[in-house]
C-alpha cells in the first residue's frame, strides 16, 4: 500500500522535474545558439556603425539610439501618469461601481495584445494628431502599453503599506497629500520602481506596435542632437525624427538571405537580451536596497 | 440629526454643557462626582459602522490634567470611543457619529459639521496600540507633526524634538542616534518614540489606545511612570484592557460594556465600592 503511494510520488517528481528541464533546457539552447551565432559579430564596429548592404560592415548604432530615445519618452510619459493614476485609484477614489469598472478595465488592458495598441497609435498619434512615424509616436505608444502595468504595480506597492503607518500620519494632522507625499510614496518607491523597470524592459523588446506605426527598417542617420551650439541650446527636433529600434533592426536582418546577416541578427538579439537582463538586474538591486531601509 | 442639534445648542454655552441632567441613567454615570475643571466631555455620543451601532449614548467627562481610563472587555467599544475624539473614523466610509464631543475651554464640538477633522487632529494627539513609528529617523519621527504644521525653522524643530524626547523619557537613550531609524529601536523605545512624536506638537489631550499591550512588563512600567509625569502638562485619556493598569495610573475610570457606559467615577471609589453590579463583576474577574 505504502509502496504504491511512494511510486506515485516518485513518478510525479520525475514528471515535474522533466517539465522544468524542458523549460530551462529550451531557454539555454536558444541562448546558446544566439551566443554561438552572434558573439563573433558583437564588437565595437558593430555597435558604432550604420546598417549597410554588406553584412560585415553593418551596425546597430541607429537602432540602439532609437531604442534609447523611445524608452526615454516612454519613461517620461508613462511613469508619472501611471503612478499618479495608481495613487488616485488607491488613495483618493471612492469605492463606487465606476471605480470598480475602471479597475477591471485597467487590469484587462495589461493583457491586450500589443499590436492593438499599435493600431490605436496609428490612428490617434500618426494620423489624427499628425505626429507621423516619429520617436515621439513610438514613445507615447509604448507609454500607453506599460501604463496598465505601472498602475497595477503602483497600487500593489501602496497597498503593502500598513494601515497603522497611515493612521499615524493622519493622527498628527497631516492632510491626505502630506500623507501620500511624505509616507506612502517614499515607502512604496521600491515596489513602484521595480514594477516600472520591469515594464520598461518589456517595452524595449516590443516590435509589433512599433512596426504598426511605421518605423523604418533601414536607417542611415541619427536623430538630430538634443543639444545644439546655438541658443537655446536644447532642441526637441529629435522627437519628430524617423527611427528604428533594436528588435526591428533584428527582424530586418533575419529576413535577409545569407549567413552573414543571420549573424548580425543574432548579435542584435544578444544585445536585446543583455539590455533586458541588465534592467531586470537593476530592478532586483533597487528592490533589495530599498527594502532594507523600509520596514515596519 | 441629533448631532447637529447638539452642536448648535451647546457651542459656546459651556454652562449648559457641564451638567446634563436627564433620564434615569444619570446615576450610573455618577454625575454627582463629576470632576472639575473639564478638558473635554462627550455628550450622548453614539457611533455607527453602517447600520451597526457600536456606541450607545455615552457621556463621559475628561478632567483636565488628570488621567482618565476606559476599561471594559474586548469589543465593548472603548477603542472606538477613543477614536471618535480625533475623528479617525472619518478615514473610513460608512461611519457616523451622533451626539457631541466638546473640547474646553472653547467649547468646540469636535463632531460639528463645520469642524475639519484636521483641525481636531492638530489639537489632540494619539498613541496607538502597536508602536507605529515611521520608517524614518528618530529625529524625523518626532519632527513630523511640526513639519505638517509648516514649521521650517531648524532651531525651533531641534528644540521641540529634544524637549519631546525628554518628556517621553527617551532622550538619554537616543540622543546619540537621532539619525537611526525609528523602527530599529526596541518595542518599548518605539512606543516612547510614538509618545514623543505625539507630544512634540503640544497637544491639549493625549489619547492612548492600549499603549502597553504589545510591550513587556518592564517597558510597560516605564510608560506608566512616564504617564504619571506627563499628566501635569497634558490631559490623558487612556484605553486599557488591563484593570490593574487603570487602577495604578488613572484618576478617573469609565467602565464600558457592549457600547454603553456602565459606570464612571474616581478610580479609587470605582475599584473599591463600585455602584453597579456589572462593574463589580468585571473588576472582581467574574467576566471579561
Amino acid at each position: 500500500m505504502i509502496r504504491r503511494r511512494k511510486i506515485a510520488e516518485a513518478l510525479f517528481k520525475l514528471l515535474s522535474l522533466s517539465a522544468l528541464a524542458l523549460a530551462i533546457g529550451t531557454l539555454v539552447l536558444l541562448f546558446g545558439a544566439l551566443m554561438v551565432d552572434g558573439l563573433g559579430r558583437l564588437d565595437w564596429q558593430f555597435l558604432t556603425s550604420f546598417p549597410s548592404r554588406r553584412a560585415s560592415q553593418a551596425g546597430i548604432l541607429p537602432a540602439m539610439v532609437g531604442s534609447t530615445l523611445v524608452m526615454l519618452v516612454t519613461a517620461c510619459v508613462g511613469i508619472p501618469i501611471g503612478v499618479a493614476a495608481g495613487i488616485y485609484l488607491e488613495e483618493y477614489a471612492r469605492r463606487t461601481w465606476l471605480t470598480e469598472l475602471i479597475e477591471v478595465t485597467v487590469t484587462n488592458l495589461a493583457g491586450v495584445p500589443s499590436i492593438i495598441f499599435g493600431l490605436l497609435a496609428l490612428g490617434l498619434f500618426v494620423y489624427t494628431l499628425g505626429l507621423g512615424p516619429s520617436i515621439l509616436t513610438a514613445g507615447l505608444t509604448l507609454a500607453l502599453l506599460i501604463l496598465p502595468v505601472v498602475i497595477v504595480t503602483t497600487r500593489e506597492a501602496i497597498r503593502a503599506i500598513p494601515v497603522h503607518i497611515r493612521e499615524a500620519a493622519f493622527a498628527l494632522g497631516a492632510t491626505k497629500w502630506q500623507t501620500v507625499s511624505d509616507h506612502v510614496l517614499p515607502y512604496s518607491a521600491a515596489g513602484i520602481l521595480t514594477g516600472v523597470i520591469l515594464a520598461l524592459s518589456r517595452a524595449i523588446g516590443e516590435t509589433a506596435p512599433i512596426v504598426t506605426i511605421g518605423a523604418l527598417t533601414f536607417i542611415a542617420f541619427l536623430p538630430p542632437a538634443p543639444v545644439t551650439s546655438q541658443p537655446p541650446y536644447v532642441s526637441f527636433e529629435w522627437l519628430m525624427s524617423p527611427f528604428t529600434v533594436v528588435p526591428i533592426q533584428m527582424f530586418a536582418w533575419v529576413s535577409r538571405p545569407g549567413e552573414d546577416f543571420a549573424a548580425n541578427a543574432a548579435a542584435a538579439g544578444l544585445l536585446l537580451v543583455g539590455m533586458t537582463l541588465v534592467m531586470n538586474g537593476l530592478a532586483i538591486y533597487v528592490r533589495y536596497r530599498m527594502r532594507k531601509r523600509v520596514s515596519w | 440629526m441629533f448631532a447637529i442639534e447638539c452642536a448648535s445648542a451647546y457651542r459656546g454655552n459651556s454652562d449648559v454643557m457641564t451638567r446634563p441632567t436627564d433620564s434615569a441613567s444619570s446615576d450610573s454615570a455618577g454625575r454627582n462626582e463629576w470632576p472639575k475643571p473639564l478638558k473635554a466631555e462627550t455628550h450622548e455620543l453614539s457611533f455607527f459602522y453602517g447600520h451597526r451601532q457600536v456606541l450607545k449614548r455615552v457621556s463621559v467627562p475628561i478632567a483636565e490634567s488628570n488621567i482618565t481610563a476606559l476599561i471594559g472587555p474586548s469589543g465593548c467599544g472603548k477603542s472606538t470611543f477613543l477614536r471618535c475624539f480625533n475623528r479617525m473614523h472619518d478615514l473610513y466610509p460608512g461611519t457616523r457619529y451622533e451626539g457631541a464631543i466638546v473640547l474646553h475651554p472653547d467649547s468646540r464640538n469636535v463632531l460639528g459639521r463645520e469642524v475639519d477633522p484636521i483641525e481636531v487632529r492638530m489639537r489632540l494627539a494619539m498613541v496607538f496600540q502597536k508602536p507605529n513609528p515611521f520608517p524614518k529617523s528618530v529625529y524625523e519621527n518626532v519632527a513630523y507633526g511640526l513639519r505638517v504644521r509648516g514649521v521650517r525653522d531648524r532651531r525651533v524643530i531641534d528644540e521641540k524634538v529634544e524637549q519631546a524626547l525628554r518628556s517621553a523619557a527617551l532622550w538619554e537613550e537616543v540622543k546619540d542616534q537621532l539619525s537611526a531609524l525609528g523602527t530599529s529601536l526596541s518595542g518599548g523605545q518605539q512606543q516612547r518614540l510614538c509618545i514623543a512624536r505625539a507630544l512634540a506638537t503640544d497637544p491639549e489631550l493625549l489619547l492612548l489606545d492600549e499603549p502597553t499591550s504589545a510591550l513587556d512588563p518592564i517597558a510597560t512600567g516605564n510608560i506608566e511612570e512616564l504617564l504619571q509625569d506627563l499628566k501635569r502638562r497634558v490631559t490623558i485619556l487612556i484605553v486599557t484592557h488591563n484593570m490593574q493598569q487603570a487602577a495604578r495610573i488613572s484618576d478617573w475610570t469609565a467602565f464600558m460594556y457592549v457600547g454603553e457606559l456602565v459606570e464612571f467615577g474616581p478610580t479609587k471609589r470605582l475599584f473599591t465600592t463600585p455602584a453597579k453590579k456589572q462593574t463589580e463583576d468585571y473588576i472582581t474577574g467574574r467576566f471579561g
Side-chain angles (χ1 to χ4, degrees), chain A residues 164 167 170 172 178 182-183, chain B residues 83 92 132 136 144 149:
Chain A
H164 61 249
E167 286 193 344
F170 282 122
L172 285 167
Q178 283 173 325
D182 296 340
H183 302 286
Chain B
R83 289 163 66 90
Y92 306 97
N132 58 353
K136 293 181 187 284
Y144 188 65
R149 287 156 179 75

Side-chain angles (χ1 to χ4, degrees), chain A residues 225-236:
Chain A
V227 185
T228 56
S229 53
Q230 283 125 21
Y233 303 112
V234 233
S235 157
F236 287 100

Side-chain angles (χ1 to χ4, degrees), chain A:
Chain A
M1 195 51 196
I2 294 177
R3 253 191 74 205
R4 260 177 55 196
R5 278 158 55 193
K6 286 253 178 182
I7 290 173
E9 180 169 331
L11 272 176
F12 181 72
K13 211 164 142 187
L14 197 72
L15 201 73
S16 36
L17 195 69
S18 42
L20 184 71
L22 193 74
I24 303 257
T26 322
L27 220 80
V28 168
L29 216 66
L30 218 78
F31 199 64
L34 217 56
M35 293 270 257
V36 170
D37 290 346
L39 213 53
R41 268 311 272 134
L42 207 55
D43 54 14
W44 189 245
Q45 179 271 325
F46 182 71
L47 290 178
T48 54
S49 298
F50 290 97
S52 161
R53 246 172 304 168
R54 252 164 295 176
S56 58
Q57 283 173 19
I60 194 125
L61 182 66
M64 289 278 284
V65 171
S67 273
T68 312
L69 291 178
V70 168
M71 279 302 112
L72 190 72
V73 175
T74 302
C76 288
V77 176
I79 296 172
I81 296 180
V83 171
I87 291 173
Y88 179 80
L89 280 176
E90 202 56 35
E91 295 286 333
Y92 288 90
R94 284 195 300 157
R95 295 265 158 268
T96 62
W97 63 267
L98 189 66
T99 47
E100 299 276 329
L101 188 74
I102 291 175
E103 273 169 33
V104 173
T105 313
V106 167
T107 320
N108 284 336
L109 270 181
V112 168
S114 57
I115 195 157
I116 307 289
F117 283 92
L119 274 181
L120 168 79
L122 185 67
L124 183 65
F125 299 135
V126 178
Y127 293 132
T128 311
L129 297 180
L131 298 177
S134 60
I135 291 178
L136 183 61
T137 302
L140 292 177
T141 310
L142 292 185
L144 283 184
L145 191 74
I146 66 166
L147 212 50
V149 183
V150 175
I151 293 174
V152 169
T153 41
T154 299
R155 297 188 58 193
E156 270 163 15
I158 288 178
R159 225 175 295 163
I161 295 169
V163 179
H164 61 249
I165 295 284
R166 240 174 265 253
E167 286 193 344
F170 282 122
L172 285 167
T175 61
K176 200 150 216 174
W177 171 238
Q178 283 173 325
T179 308
V180 168
S181 65
D182 296 340
H183 302 286
V184 172
L185 265 185
Y187 307 157
S188 58
I192 294 176
L193 217 57
T194 314
V196 162
I197 296 173
L198 291 179
L200 284 179
S201 79
R202 183 196 157 188
I204 202 169
E206 276 299 342
T207 322
I210 308 284
V211 171
T212 315
I213 61 168
L216 299 179
T217 50
F218 189 95
I219 190 166
F221 57 89
L222 291 179
V227 185
T228 56
S229 53
Q230 283 125 21
Y233 303 112
V234 233
S235 157
F236 287 100
E237 255 180 84
W238 57 272
L239 279 174
M240 302 312 289
S241 168
F243 70 102
T244 195
V245 292
V246 177
I248 291 182
Q249 182 66 69
M250 187 179 162
F251 177 69
W253 280 331
V254 167
S255 52
R256 306 237 338 221
E259 286 279 306
D260 303 351
F261 278 109
N264 280 358
L270 274 182
L271 211 63
L272 203 57
V273 172
M275 286 197 287
T276 315
L277 282 184
V278 165
M279 286 173 98
N280 284 342
L282 193 69
I284 292 168
Y285 177 73
V286 163
R287 195 208 307 252
Y288 172 74
R289 274 303 297 273
M290 291 175 98
R291 282 284 151 82
K292 261 210 310 207
R293 279 196 293 119
V294 178
S295 64
W296 25 75

